[in-house]
Amino acid sequence: PDESHLVAACSDGMLRISWLNASWNPQRPESFEFSEWAAVPAHDGTATSIACLEDGRVISCGTDGRIKVWAFANPTSTDQEQGEEIVRVCLSNDASCMLRFDRNDDLQLLNCGTLNVEWTVPYDGTWITALEFSPDGRQFATADTDLRIQVWDKLDRRLVASLRHLE
């Protein structure tokens, strides 16, 4: 969240917050050391994704289907929490938006700053097994149980490619 802290999403459902040792010297990489500041129980199951926002909030997602927004200054309480129905999430590289796929087969693009839905993607496939943003954040891809990969343009809000694996 800043130049002196590191937040890690862990397989035990914890968020581990550490700070960089003040004696770190870039010319001596062996001096690189973190000390744990807090271990926060965040998710029942694996914490799968994490993003640090410029305003000091941290967003975490987990295999428990929850999206939680944490105030970095007080990591023991959540600001907001999305419900139990979320099964897949993906955060953009710049942490400005996220994709969310839920048990109702809705695929949505959310603004990370507000968690407001910006676009409900007209997805008509089966269960989504993977979501990923392009490195520049302009497009994203979905993979589903129909053995289909679809590429979407986030800015134009349209499907740009659909590929199906043929056996």
Side-chain angles (χ1 to χ4, degrees), residues 55-104:
D55 64 4
R57 292 180 301 153
V58 175
I59 295 176
S60 67
C61 308
T63 57
D64 58 2
R66 293 178 182 262
I67 298 173
K68 296 184 177 183
V69 182
W70 307 83
F72 178 70
N74 182 12
T76 58
S77 65
T78 57
D79 288 341
Q80 301 171 355
E81 183 175 319
Q82 298 289 325
E84 298 271 356
E85 299 298 313
I86 300 148
V87 293
R88 293 271 182 272
V89 296
C90 179
L91 299 167
S92 63
N93 291 340
D94 65 358
S96 66
C97 59
M98 82 172 73
L99 291 167
R100 171 180 77 186
F101 180 67
D102 65 28
R103 294 191 192 280
N104 297 323

Side-chain angles (χ1 to χ4, degrees), residues 111-131:
N111 177 305
C112 281
T114 63
L115 290 185
N116 290 334
V117 175
E118 292 186 350
W119 180 33
T120 299
V121 181
Y123 177 77
D124 64 353
T126 58
W127 197 257
I128 290 179
T129 58
L131 298 167

Side-chain angles (χ1 to χ4, degrees), residues 20-76:
L20 181 61
N21 184 334
S23 64
W24 181 64
N25 180 343
Q27 278 73 39
R28 292 185 46 233
E30 69 275 8
S31 69
F32 184 78
E33 183 179 305
F34 277 95
S35 300
E36 189 168 288
W37 174 57
V40 180
H43 295 277
D44 296 328
T46 299
T48 57
S49 301
I50 193 162
C52 299
L53 304 180
E54 289 180 8
D55 64 4
R57 292 180 301 153
V58 175
I59 295 176
S60 67
C61 308
T63 57
D64 58 2
R66 293 178 182 262
I67 298 173
K68 296 184 177 183
V69 182
W70 307 83
F72 178 70
N74 182 12
T76 58

